[in-house]
Amino acid sequence: MSDRTRVGIVGAGPAGMLVAVLLQRAGIDCVVVERRDRSYVEQRVRGARVEHRVVELLRRHDLAAGLLATGAVEDRIEFRMGGRRYPLVYAPLAGGRMPHLYPQQFLVRDLIDAFLTAGGDLRFDTSALAVTDLDGDRPRIRFDGGAGAAPSELSCDIVVGGDGEYGLTRAAIPRSVLRTYEYQYDYAWLAVLAEAPPSSDSTVNAIHESGACVYVPRGPAMSRFYLQCPREDGRADWPDERIWKEIRVRLALDESWPLHEGPILSTSSLRMRSLVCAPLRYGSLFLVGDAGHVVPPVIGKGFNIALADAEELALALVERFTGGTSARLDAYSDSRLTRIWRAQEFVGRVMDLVNTPGLGTREAPFLHRVQCARLERLFASPAHGAAFLEDYIGWE
């Protein structure tokens, strides 16, 4: 069995769904295939920080109602070092260009609701098995028919790969064509999700000789913590008692403050790495989001870059199908890679700012003092702080 559509989208994450909604509103046929069920996709906990430029992106397309109604405005970020707070307040440097805190799964839910309410074709529990004929004018997505049925095919003009770092769309690009640039950090982060009310109303990045600790509020009853740790550490190395002990030590202040603890719901070890694939296009296939690039979760850049990818690709496809010109579509990979590399550079700077270098080595005390001096410079120079906020908040 074979279906036909103009644009086939693999993956119902934020990037894939934004492409789908924008194409649908322009009257361009598209089909989304997603291997997970709807409940999983809408409850998958990821980042929550929406940069100013992405808030404006969502406003432009009338997709910001949920974010503006329930998302919190982030007006500062806090660093901690040596028992002291170092708050970086956005106003007046930001000029009103504030990011918001709105969990990624909420935005995905909003996009899915918008797409389905308008009659969109979104196929959950549908695993893409292969994408073929990408160098021709009729690419195909082969997918599991489900319930014992034979595999089916979706014939398209364009395939959008929004299926993440380990999806099949990137793997469909020949190795002779795709170049992968990758950097592995020599430490990991232990990601901890706890059922605990907020201990702060802003993100906290604690610099400590034992390693970084990042706190991110996740709504009224949940908290996310990240603890820098050796790459080889596993869950067995981090019982709950040790987790809370290290959080208390690394976030400690010389003043009283409320650290709210609670049951730990999940932990995972994040092997911190950055990756960029080039080009982001092969024939009729276009990559968006994590399918084409990955950044560590230190400041939530990945989510925001993915949505910017999606808007640019969707608008280029609209021009192709309604205006008859492919100039913007042809420029998609080069234009996005320029932005992606700028984001990678900034994320690298923040990683060096927050994470303690050389853990366990004899050079560690020296490197940690250099790290402390780097943070102090950020707060000593208004120009340096403004330049940092330009990239951190995300304004044009």
Side-chain angles (χ1 to χ4, degrees), residues 135-155:
D135 52 358
D137 57 1
R138 284 292 182 271
R140 299 174 184 275
I141 302 172
R142 188 166 178 264
F143 57 89
D144 187 347
S152 300
E153 283 190 342
L154 181 65
S155 176

Side-chain angles (χ1 to χ4, degrees), residues 310-333:
E311 183 193 38
E312 179 59 25
L313 180 57
L315 296 179
L317 289 170
V318 170
E319 285 192 9
R320 151 90 184 272
F321 288 117
T322 64
T325 174
S326 296
R328 189 169 185 173
L329 191 60
D330 292 340
Y332 167 75
S333 181

Side-chain angles (χ1 to χ4, degrees), residues 83-276:
R84 294 178 55 197
R85 298 179 190 265
Y86 291 80
L88 188 57
V89 180
Y90 301 159
L93 294 175
R97 296 165 290 196
M98 302 294 190
H100 283 59
L101 297 176
Y102 190 63
Q104 176 177 313
Q105 66 269 28
F106 291 4
L107 179 59
V108 170
R109 179 198 61 198
D110 295 344
L111 294 170
I112 289 173
D113 284 346
F115 188 66
L116 293 179
T117 299
D121 188 345
L122 173 49
R123 307 177 188 184
F124 291 106
D125 294 306
T126 302
S127 296
L129 304 175
V131 288
T132 60
D133 303 319
L134 295 172
D135 52 358
D137 57 1
R138 284 292 182 271
R140 299 174 184 275
I141 302 172
R142 188 166 178 264
F143 57 89
D144 187 347
S152 300
E153 283 190 342
L154 181 65
S155 176
C156 321
D157 295 318
I158 296 291
V159 175
V160 175
D163 51 345
E165 181 179 2
Y166 302 107
L168 64 85
T169 55
R170 183 205 297 171
I173 302 177
R175 292 185 179 181
S176 60
V177 174
L178 187 69
R179 185 166 184 182
T180 300
Y181 303 87
E182 185 174 3
Y183 180 76
Q184 296 274 358
Y185 291 88
D186 61 2
Y187 49 81
W189 273 12
L190 185 73
V192 179
L193 184 65
E195 187 177 346
S199 298
S200 171
D201 57 1
S202 68
T203 298
V204 177
N205 293 279
I207 292 170
H208 193 273
E209 60 187 358
S210 299
C213 181
V214 178
Y215 165 74
V216 185
R218 283 285 188 266
M222 306 284 279
S223 292
R224 171 73 82 181
F225 300 89
Y226 296 100
L227 290 164
Q228 183 186 357
C229 63
R231 284 182 62 83
E232 62 272 14
D233 277 12
R235 181 63 173 97
D237 299 298
W238 288 88
D240 290 4
E241 312 86 69
R242 184 186 178 193
I243 289 173
W244 285 116
K245 177 183 176 182
E246 284 298 314
I247 289 173
R248 288 192 293 269
V249 168
R250 299 185 192 188
L251 290 177
L253 290 170
D254 292 339
E255 62 188 78
S256 176
W257 74 283
L259 173 63
H260 298 298
E261 301 182 18
I264 292 177
L265 303 180
S266 68
T267 62
S268 59
S269 181
L270 305 179
R271 302 297 190 260
M272 307 300 278
R273 61 197 289 260
S274 291
L275 179 146
V276 178

Side-chain angles (χ1 to χ4, degrees), residues 37 40 43 50 69 151 167 245 259 290 324 337 352 360 363 369:
D37 61 51
Y40 179 91
Q43 295 178 34
V50 186
K245 177 183 176 182
L259 173 63
D290 286 359
L337 284 170
D352 290 342
E363 296 87 2
R369 290 310 308 162

Side-chain angles (χ1 to χ4, degrees), residues 49-53 74 90 94 97-99 301 346 388-395:
R49 192 170 173 281
V50 186
E51 294 180 350
H52 169 75
R53 66 166 65 95
E74 183 186 69
Y90 301 159
R97 296 165 290 196
M98 302 294 190
K301 278 286 181 185
F346 181 66
F388 179 88
L389 285 180
E390 178 181 349
D391 282 310
Y392 184 81
I393 292 175
W395 70 61

